[in-house]
Amino acid sequence: MKYLVRDKMLALGDDYWIEDEDGRHAFLVDGKALRFRDTLELKDPDGQILITLREKLFTLRDAMTLERDERRLAVIRRKRLSLLRGHYLVTLVEGTELDVSGRLLDREFKIEYEGELLALVSRQWYRIRETYAVDVIREDTDAALLIAVAVCVIRLAEKEREGGAGPDGDPGP
């Protein structure tokens, strides 16, 4: 199932609907304004909070946390010692790790678990400016989690680029 995401939804204080491939409202992104740190809430169409995305403060490397029911679900940070550009690691609370790699700033990357493709993120499917799709490949995976991961790694890559990183969120020489 493909989900249509517009980049403008990443602005704090903005609310934005993510639609499924049939144009139905699938998730509401609620950008919490006036918070000390970046916070977004991913909600179902009825307004129930599914996942809270938070910038992790006071860490050596930029990171974001995902929370479900006010408990940590995952931590996302740039993978160290990777030869790949734009490579992030998602560590779920039970120890499972998801691998995110590709051209993050171009919105062309994949999310994998132990080499198995879970989702593809791409702008190629849509001609609408500042829009990308999250194509959840496996139906038995948590679509809300994969969308939250995509949003977080894009935010982290953009933040890294603003801090002097090179293309695709890769640090310069």
Side-chain angles (χ1 to χ4, degrees):
M1 168 81 59
K2 288 182 185 161
Y3 297 92
L4 179 65
V5 183
R6 289 198 177 91
D7 277 337
K8 76 172 195 169
M9 69 136 213
L10 297 176
L12 287 179
D14 288 346
D15 293 349
Y16 182 78
W17 282 102
I18 295 175
E19 299 173 349
D20 66 16
E21 59 193 337
D22 297 321
R24 293 184 304 252
H25 289 168
F27 302 101
L28 175 67
V29 177
D30 186 357
K32 298 297 183 185
L34 304 173
R35 296 269 177 118
F36 179 62
R37 59 184 178 175
D38 286 351
T39 302
L40 298 167
E41 291 175 344
L42 189 63
K43 299 178 178 181
D44 69 13
D46 297 324
Q48 181 84 14
I49 299 171
L50 301 173
I51 298 179
T52 302
L53 298 73
R54 296 185 200 279
E55 177 185 20
K56 196 166 181 175
L57 296 177
F58 310 116
T59 60
L60 293 175
R61 293 185 300 151
D62 286 336
M64 291 191 78
T65 60
L66 302 178
E67 298 172 3
R68 181 173 277 149
D69 299 325
E70 298 185 21
R71 287 194 207 121
R72 182 181 292 172
L73 176 63
V75 175
I76 303 168
R77 57 177 48 100
R78 190 170 195 290
K79 188 169 183 176
R80 286 200 255 177
L81 306 175
S82 172
L83 298 176
L84 298 175
R85 303 178 121 197
H87 200 176
Y88 281 76
L89 189 64
V90 180
T91 306
L92 299 172
V93 98
E94 75 275 359
T96 302
E97 292 182 339
L98 305 180
D99 206 46
V100 182
S101 63
R103 297 185 331 263
L104 304 175
L105 296 175
D106 292 334
R107 308 323 188 244
E108 299 291 335
F109 58 93
K110 59 188 175 180
I111 303 171
E112 297 177 306
Y113 170 67
E114 293 186 350
E116 182 181 355
L117 184 62
L118 300 179
L120 281 173
V121 177
S122 181
R123 277 195 170 143
Q124 292 181 352
W125 295 305
Y126 294 97
R127 298 293 175 232
I128 302 168
R129 192 164 192 260
E130 299 181 357
T131 302
Y132 62 92
V134 177
D135 186 6
V136 177
I137 305 299
R138 286 190 39 182
E139 291 184 24
D140 64 337
T141 56
D142 184 346
L145 173 63
L146 296 176
I147 290 169
V149 166
V151 169
C152 286
V153 296
I154 289 168
R155 285 181 79 97
L156 288 167
E158 287 178 344
K159 196 172 179 183
E160 193 171 338
R161 176 184 62 186
E162 291 167 7
D168 299 323
D170 202 36

